[in-house]
Structure formats: C-alpha cells, structure tokens
Amino acid sequence: MFQGAEAEVNERVLCVQSHWKRTSMQIDFNKRIWKSLDEEHQTIQTQILQMLISKLSIIISKLDKLSKKGSDNRATERQVTRVKRWNYILVKEGLDEAIEDLASWQKMFDPAWFLIMKVSSPFIDQELSRHGSAVSSFAGACSLRDALREEPLQKVSVFLPKDGLETAQTREIPFATAKCVPRAGSDKWVVVDCIPCDPEAEVNLVTKDIRELARKLSFVDPFTFGILRCRGVVRVMEPSSGKPSSFDFVFQIPRELRHEPRSLRGYLSSQVNHTLTDRFQLAKQLAKSISYVHTLGFVHKNVRPETFPGFQTNDSAFGSFFLVGFEQVRTVDGRTRRLGDSAWERNLYRHPRRQGLSPENIYTMQHDIYSLGVCLLEVGLWESFVSYEDGVRGPLPAAALDITLDSPEFRQPFLMKEHLIALAKRGLPKRMGERYEEVVVNCLSCLDQDNADFGDQSEFEDLDGVLVGVRYIEKILLKLDGIQV
C-alpha cells in the first residue's frame, strides 16, 4: 500500500518547484516594471498575487504535514524528505488538488501577464532584453512584445502557395465556419479558415490586416491563448479581376489533439455526457480566447458557437476549444465600412447597434464581449439557440430561445437583448449559480451607459488599449475563475 509513497511526494514537490520557478521570475519582473503600469493594472496584478499567496499557503501546509527531515548518510550537506506514510494516505488527494489549483492560478495569471506586453514603456523593453532568455515564460512574452510592434524585429513571410493543401480531400466540421484539410504529401491535417475579401474593399488595407493577424497568430501557444497557431495564409485570386477573392488562414492542429473536431454548436446540439466542472472549464476557455484576440490588438466581430471548434482529449468530455472564424477581423484602430447582414442567426450574437446591413456603431472590444455573453448563456443552459433541422431550408430558432421568427425580438434588436438577459436571470442561477449569471448579464449589458464596469467608453481611451483588457480580466475572467463547483 505504501510502496512508492516517498517518490510520489518528491514528484509533487518538484511540480510545485517548477511552477514556482516560473512564477517567482514573473513576480520579480513585475516588481521592476511596476511603475510603468497604470493604477488599475497594478490593482488587478495585486489581486491575482494575493490569490497566489493563499494557494501557496495551503500547499506548504500540506507538504509540512507529509514530511519529516533527516540527514542523508551519503550526502551530509543536504536534507532528504522521508514520508510520513500514514499522513500521505490521508492527504494525498488534497495535495493533488492544491497543486492543480496552483497550475490553474498560473493559467489565470497569464492574461494579465501578457497584457503587460502591450504597455508602451522603454523600461519593459529593457527588462525583457536583460532577462528574456531566463525562462520559457519570458520567451513567450518577448515574442508577443515583438509581434505587437509596428515594425517587428523578426520578419515573417505569411503567404503560402495554394498547392500546399489537398483541397479535394477537405472535411467539413459540422456547424462550423472552418474546415479540416490535409497538407500536400503528408498525413497531417490543418484547420483552414476562409476570410472572404469584399470586392469593394481597399485590397491593400485588407491585405495589411491579414498579414498583421497572421504574423501575430504565428507565435501563439494554443493551450495558453485558446487560439490555434497560424502556419500561413493562402491568397485565393479571382481569375477575372486578378484581385483576391478570399484569404485562407491555415492553422496547425496540436499533436496532442485528435483530428476530428466538432464545433461548439455541434456540442450544444447533442446530448454529450459531461460534468458541471466541464461546463465551467469550457466557459473559461471561451472567455480566455477573447482576451487574447484583444491583447493581440484585434477585434474579432464574429464570436459565436460556429467559430469555436473543439478537439477531444482524454481529460474532458469536451477537450480543448479554440477561436477561429476571423472572417471579419480587423485591427482595433483600423478602418471599418460598417457592413453587416440580415441573417438572424448571426445577428443573435451581435449587439443591437451592430445588427443589420448598416450597423450604427463602429466595432469595439465591448461588442466581442457582448457576443461572448450570448455564447456563455448557451453554455450555461447547455442548449443551442439555433437549430438545423433535416429537410428545412435555413436555421430555425431552437426551443431554448423561447421565441419564433415571427416574434418582435427579431425586428427590434434591443428587445432581443432584454430577452437574452431575462433568459439568463431566469435559467442560469439554478443551473450554474448566481455568480455565473452575473458574469453573463455583465457581458450582455457591457455597452449600457449604466453598466459600472464597461459602460463609460471614455474610460478605455488609453493609448495602448490596455484598460479595457484589465477590466475584462477583473470582471469576466477572474469572476469565472473564482466560481467553485
């Protein structure tokens, strides 16, 4: 029963030390560049670090109960841990949970950590150049910092030849905007996401945005950012005009994942056995990916269940989800033609002032937050709002939406918004708890003038576009992470 107990404890100690090495260096970095952060950014960093102190105290307490110190006859200068075996049996599960909490804290800290890389300060550049090669976390920060420059130090060619993909063997991902395509001469598959090029748009400006997005997505860690790594873009040309008709983004599928993805819409439309923990983890994945799109300096404009393909793993009923569907993406400060469409199944995920053929408002980060709120509402209820029935042309409102296409909500967008908020308040507390419901309602009301967290647009007009990211981390990501199941 006790065989291997000491080795298992030592393994767990090494796990804690590994997490702590990275974390301690990040904390030390933060101390040195602290004055470069604005007050709100400092506040959220402090709040997250206080959570770390609490988790470390729990782990240290459990490790102390497990060990006794003694001298090793073969190495008098070092101490060795000898396991109190009966104690190990009693607290093993709790110790594993504590270590898992520490790992989850690191994932929670990452968005705030990478957001620092957006701050325009020579002190940050100096510290990164001085300590950038120390640990892998700094390497990722350096890559992001470089990617966010107008003139990056590392020049990357993003455009790929069209014959690099076996398009004849394309596999559809049910209810998804992206597809799976094999690479030419290889058994490896990639995800291809097509971005149509508006024939009336300025080709040079569109190409610039495409190049910038592909370059920034070329370095991301999929499991950290919730976004697949871009291997390049295939430019599809229109023979008659010689202009591009679309840009096909090619995304690498991590080797740890199976190559048969299902969209979030597909999961919501099926009866998949899962736990409440799985559902909360899924919600956090969706929220995290939105955060990183904004950190990269883009607004997505197309957040909905069709743009989240999920790849199965052995750890969860759902696996890992990644945000694609960048068909209308642009830089936050880029030009927009305010073009829309009348498809109800798309408008359902758009803020009322962004619906229809000619949306009223210029797109901002908060519009993506609203779209996320609709997705989180579906995840919380675990019911799809859109139904694709066999033999029926076009999608229909599903029963969970509790209205029909003849309802006034589809003609008056603000009525739809209030209807979604009412669904959240009525259905989420008993299924996901009041704190989850508050997060969803906050997303859906994020552009209301009386919304205390996001309503005042003038608050977020900082030069680097950091403040709205800080507020998002505080009011959305941390709130989701703080929910205990």
Side-chain angles (χ1 to χ4, degrees):
M1 180 184 298
F2 299 119
Q3 286 184 348
E6 185 171 325
E8 289 187 23
V9 170
N10 288 333
E11 181 181 340
R12 284 156 175 77
V13 171
L14 287 174
C15 183
V16 173
Q17 291 174 338
S18 175
H19 283 300
W20 177 244
K21 179 180 179 181
R22 175 185 176 187
T23 300
S24 63
M25 298 194 72
Q26 288 175 314
I27 293 173
D28 188 49
F29 179 87
N30 280 2
K31 286 167 58 179
R32 293 193 298 271
I33 57 91
W34 190 253
K35 292 183 179 179
S36 301
L37 308 181
D38 60 68
E39 184 177 352
E40 191 164 355
H41 205 165
Q42 291 176 347
T43 299
I44 193 63
Q45 291 279 344
T46 301
Q47 183 179 346
I48 296 174
L49 291 174
Q50 287 173 341
M51 297 172 67
L52 170 64
I53 293 172
S54 174
K55 292 183 183 296
L56 283 176
S57 297
I58 294 173
I59 293 175
I60 291 171
S61 174
K62 291 184 176 181
L63 286 174
D64 284 343
K65 292 178 181 179
L66 279 175
S67 64
K68 56 185 178 182
K69 299 294 183 177
S71 297
D72 188 346
N73 294 329
R74 294 170 297 175
T76 58
E77 294 182 358
R78 65 186 179 90
Q79 297 289 322
V80 294
T81 298
R82 294 176 179 170
V83 177
K84 295 179 180 178
R85 294 175 173 178
W86 284 107
N87 285 359
Y88 176 67
I89 295 299
L90 295 174
V91 301
K92 177 179 181 294
E93 183 176 348
L95 179 59
D96 286 341
E97 289 177 356
I99 294 174
E100 186 176 338
D101 281 345
L102 182 58
S104 67
W105 177 89
Q106 184 68 62
K107 294 177 181 179
M108 178 177 59
F109 180 56
D110 279 340
W113 162 248
F114 284 112
L115 192 61
I116 293 175
M117 299 305 114
K118 290 193 71 174
V119 178
S120 299
S121 169
F123 295 109
I124 294 177
D125 291 314
Q126 292 171 12
E127 292 300 328
L128 283 173
S129 63
R130 187 188 311 174
H131 301 280
S133 60
V135 288
S136 60
S137 60
F138 280 80
C142 290
S143 298
L144 176 58
R145 185 77 169 173
D146 188 37
L148 292 174
R149 300 178 193 272
E150 290 188 11
E151 294 294 332
L153 300 177
Q154 299 179 10
K155 302 295 183 180
V156 179
S157 176
V158 302
F159 291 105
L160 302 173
K162 186 177 181 181
D163 58 5
L165 300 175
E166 298 285 358
T167 54
Q169 300 181 42
T170 296
R171 293 180 185 171
E172 299 287 336
I173 304 175
F175 314 121
T177 59
K179 302 176 181 179
C180 281
V181 183
R183 293 171 57 182
S186 171
D187 59 352
K188 295 182 179 179
W189 289 72
V190 294
V191 170
V192 175
D193 191 17
C194 176
I195 299 183
C197 185
D198 186 344
E200 298 183 18
E202 177 59 50
V203 175
N204 290 337
L205 291 176
V206 174
T207 303
K208 180 182 177 182
D209 278 354
I210 294 294
R211 183 184 294 111
E212 283 297 293
L213 177 61
R215 178 175 63 84
K216 292 177 179 179
L217 295 181
S218 67
F219 78 91
V220 299
D221 178 352
F223 296 105
T224 297
F225 283 62
I227 304 169
L228 294 173
R229 177 172 294 170
C230 180
R231 305 305 299 175
V233 180
V234 175
R235 192 164 19 195
V236 180
M237 308 302 292
E238 182 66 48
S240 58
S241 65
K243 295 181 178 181
S245 59
S246 67
F247 295 91
D248 291 351
F249 275 69
V250 180
F251 293 103
Q252 179 180 337
I253 300 174
R255 70 180 76 182
E256 301 93 328
L257 304 178
R258 302 176 190 171
H259 295 179
E260 298 179 357
R262 299 174 63 183
S263 70
L264 177 57
R265 174 72 68 206
Y267 277 98
L268 290 169
S269 302
S270 62
Q271 299 297 321
V272 178
N273 291 327
H274 65 278
T275 66
L276 194 59
T277 299
D278 288 330
R279 207 182 298 182
F280 277 112
Q281 290 299 326
L282 171 56
K284 293 174 188 178
Q285 286 187 44
L286 306 188
K288 182 174 63 174
S289 61
I290 302 298
S291 173
Y292 282 120
V293 168
H294 295 171
T295 298
L296 292 171
F298 285 86
V299 286
H300 190 274
K301 302 176 69 174
N302 193 28
V303 177
R304 52 199 178 97
E306 285 80 358
T307 60
F308 285 102
F311 296 78
Q312 284 192 332
T313 65
N314 296 325
D315 300 329
S316 168
F318 305 131
S320 297
F321 281 80
F322 304 93
L323 180 61
V324 295
F326 295 96
E327 61 184 70
Q328 299 185 61
V329 75
R330 67 167 176 81
T331 53
V332 172
D333 57 353
R335 299 180 184 180
T336 177
R337 301 182 63 220
R338 300 194 193 184
L339 295 178
D341 57 60
S342 57
W344 74 265
E345 70 276 12
R346 291 174 176 264
N347 282 322
L348 178 65
Y349 298 90
R350 297 168 178 156
H351 185 269
R353 297 194 184 279
R354 284 294 310 175
Q355 294 186 21
L357 296 174
S358 300
E360 296 178 41
N361 288 1
I362 293 175
Y363 207 96
T364 66
M365 294 180 183
Q366 287 91 323
H367 290 112
D368 280 343
I369 297 174
Y370 177 89
S371 301
L372 172 68
V374 184
C375 294
L376 293 182
L377 175 55
E378 285 180 285
V379 169
L381 299 175
W382 200 248
E383 293 184 81
S384 174
F385 288 158
V386 181
S387 173
Y388 296 89
E389 298 181 7
D390 293 337
V392 177
R393 186 176 181 180
L396 294 173
L401 196 54
D402 202 27
I403 51 177
T404 66
L405 284 176
D406 296 328
S407 301
E409 286 82 357
F410 285 104
R411 297 187 298 275
Q412 301 179 51
F414 277 96
L415 285 182
M416 176 63 78
K417 170 177 164 288
E418 294 306 315
H419 177 69
L420 294 174
I421 291 176
L423 284 179
K425 292 182 176 180
R426 184 169 67 245
L428 290 179
K430 60 185 178 182
R431 301 192 191 194
M432 302 290 284
E434 293 180 352
R435 297 179 69 181
Y436 186 90
E437 175 252 321
E438 290 171 2
V439 169
V440 172
V441 171
N442 202 11
C443 290
L444 294 174
S445 63
C446 68
L447 283 157
D448 293 0
Q449 290 186 351
D450 60 352
N451 183 293
D453 297 329
F454 299 100
D456 187 355
Q457 299 295 296
S458 63
E459 281 190 291
F460 307 118
E461 294 175 357
D462 60 310
L463 182 63
D464 303 317
V466 170
L467 285 182
V468 67
V470 171
R471 193 69 60 85
Y472 179 84
I473 292 170
E474 179 185 8
K475 303 300 181 180
I476 306 300
L477 292 183
L478 289 187
K479 295 288 186 182
L480 288 173
D481 273 299
I483 299 174
Q484 299 295 324
V485 181

